[in-house]
Amino acid sequence: MIATKECLLTDCSFKNIGRYAVTVDYEDIPLSAGKNPVLSKNNGIVNCTVCQTGTGGIKLNGGNRNTLESAGNYVENSVIHDFNRIAKTYCAGIRISGVGNRISNNEIFNSPHSAILLHGNDHLIEYNEIHNVCLVTDDVGAVYYGRNPSFRGNVVRFNYFHHLGDVYRTTAVYHDDGACAMEVHGNIFYKAGTIPVLIGGGSDNVYTNNIFIDTPIGIKVDNRMQAFEWAKPMIAAGGVIEQRLAAVKYNQPPYSERYPELAKYWDEDPSLPKRNLIDENVFVQVDQIIKRVDEGVNTDKKLLEFTDNNYITNEDPGFVDKENQNFKLKDTSVIFKKIPGFKQIPVEKIGPL
């Protein structure tokens, strides 16, 4: 669907396709033409099944990254699995890009690599069940984005990540190579890889009201663009990050108005992560809550703020039925006493309805 508006694919089954099952995209017009691309807007894929595809499930693009105009395209209430028959990596169940698109109430599973690859701004990923992905690859995230600090305003909320690959470096949410400004709220991470969350050198990532259960590490954070020689060129003059920020005129409206922290990116030493916040989260049977990797560089500097409002326990804090993965909290759960601001996660709304 190229440059379409208000088109709906519903109750369809896509199977044994060579590449992606569905593509929603804009009409690409060369910049030299002096015109904006013709956007795809308010298109939906609903109640569909995608499986046994060759190079991914669904491409969901739309919106204008120059003006930050949202597209409103969405994938909803669908089941997407076994989508890497030919290409095993970087061909996700859903590849979301552009501005202002939504992935909600889906089940995504059975993949050697990522469930969702994210590019762009102001996307919403909510109420999805994501499991049995990242099965045979290393340095991978179920939800992954990276190497562009202008990707901001994205929200990941009320998802259930469970039973991810547990052999290599696997994560549920991966902020790679300086990725910034994602809000992660109200998710459940159960056996969600070897490192459920990895903040790789970025800033302004906020984690609130999440529950981490049965995992060796909760959150890993590093200052890679200070400490790792291979990462330093990314923020060097003329490097990839400078190029990508310049491409969207990051310090001018609309970016400077919608994301004021971004306008100060080069003034605040981008090699040092800042304003990453971990607040009002629960960690149940997590061996190491925070793993910091800094190679001895700036060991006195905070890479994230871990507040006293987080709760850590090795006991069942009052789940309805942990053995059967019902992580709804009983009204008598100790969590509501330990974290007075903690809100019930609406587990009954997660996944296809």
Side-chain angles (χ1 to χ4, degrees):
M1 294 190 284
I2 306 298
T4 54
K5 295 183 179 180
E6 299 183 0
C7 291
L8 180 65
L9 287 177
T10 183
D11 299 290
C12 296
S13 179
F14 302 89
K15 187 176 182 180
N16 296 328
I17 293 171
R19 300 189 69 184
Y20 278 84
V22 180
T23 295
V24 179
D25 212 338
Y26 57 83
E27 183 181 356
D28 197 6
I29 297 175
L31 291 176
S32 59
K35 299 179 181 179
N36 285 324
V38 179
L39 304 183
S40 289
K41 299 189 72 172
N42 302 316
N43 300 288
I45 298 101
V46 180
N47 296 334
C48 291
T49 299
V50 174
C51 66
Q52 295 299 333
T53 53
T55 61
I58 296 170
K59 280 188 177 181
L60 189 69
N61 196 359
N64 189 326
R65 291 205 66 238
N66 293 320
T67 65
L68 293 178
E69 178 185 356
S70 292
N73 298 315
Y74 54 95
V75 180
E76 178 181 288
N77 216 58
S78 295
V79 177
I80 304 166
H81 65 93
D82 297 281
F83 41 83
N84 297 110
R85 196 180 71 250
I86 298 171
K88 304 303 182 184
T89 59
Y90 296 101
C91 293
I94 303 176
R95 184 182 184 96
I96 186 170
S97 53
V99 182
N101 299 304
R102 174 171 58 87
I103 301 171
S104 59
N105 291 104
N106 303 288
E107 183 182 10
I108 307 174
F109 62 98
N110 277 4
S111 172
H113 204 248
S114 297
I116 297 172
L117 292 179
L118 182 149
H119 295 251
N121 301 71
D122 302 338
H123 300 306
L124 179 60
I125 300 172
E126 63 176 358
Y127 297 111
N128 301 285
E129 181 180 1
I130 298 174
H131 63 96
N132 295 94
V133 298
C134 309
L135 293 177
V136 296
T137 46
D138 179 47
D139 194 25
V140 58
V143 174
Y144 174 94
Y145 75 124
R147 207 169 288 193
N148 192 333
S150 73
F151 292 169
R152 290 179 175 245
N154 298 299
V155 176
V156 176
R157 68 183 184 189
F158 306 132
N159 302 282
Y160 178 30
F161 298 91
H162 65 97
H163 294 97
L164 307 187
D166 61 359
V167 176
Y168 305 106
R169 294 173 296 171
T170 54
T171 70
V173 181
Y174 195 162
H175 313 260
D176 198 13
D177 291 344
C180 295
M182 179 178 279
E183 177 187 339
V184 183
H185 176 86
N187 301 279
I188 297 172
F189 301 94
Y190 173 59
K191 297 184 183 294
T194 56
I195 311 166
V197 172
L198 200 161
I199 301 175
S203 300
D204 300 309
N205 297 296
V206 177
Y207 278 74
T208 56
N209 214 101
N210 301 286
I211 302 178
F212 297 77
I213 310 161
D214 290 0
T215 182
I217 296 170
I219 298 169
K220 180 180 176 181
V221 62
D222 65 54
N223 56 344
R224 62 185 57 188
M225 289 180 284
Q226 288 185 329
F228 305 156
E229 291 302 320
W230 61 264
K232 292 178 182 179
M234 287 188 287
I235 56 170
V240 63
I241 287 181
E242 183 178 285
Q243 294 174 35
R244 290 174 176 176
L245 289 177
V248 295
K249 300 178 181 178
Y250 75 100
N251 57 353
Q252 300 176 31
Y255 278 81
S256 61
E257 294 176 349
R258 190 170 301 182
Y259 317 118
E261 295 86 0
L262 181 61
K264 301 178 288 185
Y265 185 81
W266 295 110
D267 300 329
E268 294 187 322
D269 183 7
S271 71
L272 179 66
K274 56 191 70 69
R275 296 184 298 273
N276 292 310
L277 177 65
I278 314 299
D279 186 45
E280 295 190 336
N281 300 281
V282 177
F283 298 84
V284 181
Q285 295 176 328
V286 176
D287 297 336
Q288 183 178 2
I289 307 302
I290 302 293
K291 181 175 182 179
R292 173 184 171 127
V293 180
D294 58 26
E295 300 296 325
V297 177
N298 277 339
T299 57
D300 60 328
K301 301 289 187 181
K302 283 187 176 182
L303 305 184
L304 55 75
E305 181 71 26
F306 188 89
T307 74
D308 293 336
N309 297 325
N310 296 289
Y311 177 54
I312 302 168
T313 181
N314 286 321
E315 305 296 328
D316 185 333
F319 297 125
V320 169
D321 188 353
K322 181 177 183 291
E323 293 303 313
N324 290 299
Q325 297 181 54
N326 184 346
F327 295 114
K328 187 179 181 69
L329 297 174
K330 299 175 183 176
D331 292 340
T332 56
S333 170
V334 68
I335 291 172
F336 298 122
K337 295 180 181 179
K338 296 293 184 178
I339 309 176
F342 196 90
K343 300 294 189 295
Q344 181 77 261
I345 296 173
V347 297
E348 68 281 359
K349 296 181 180 180
I350 296 174
L353 300 175

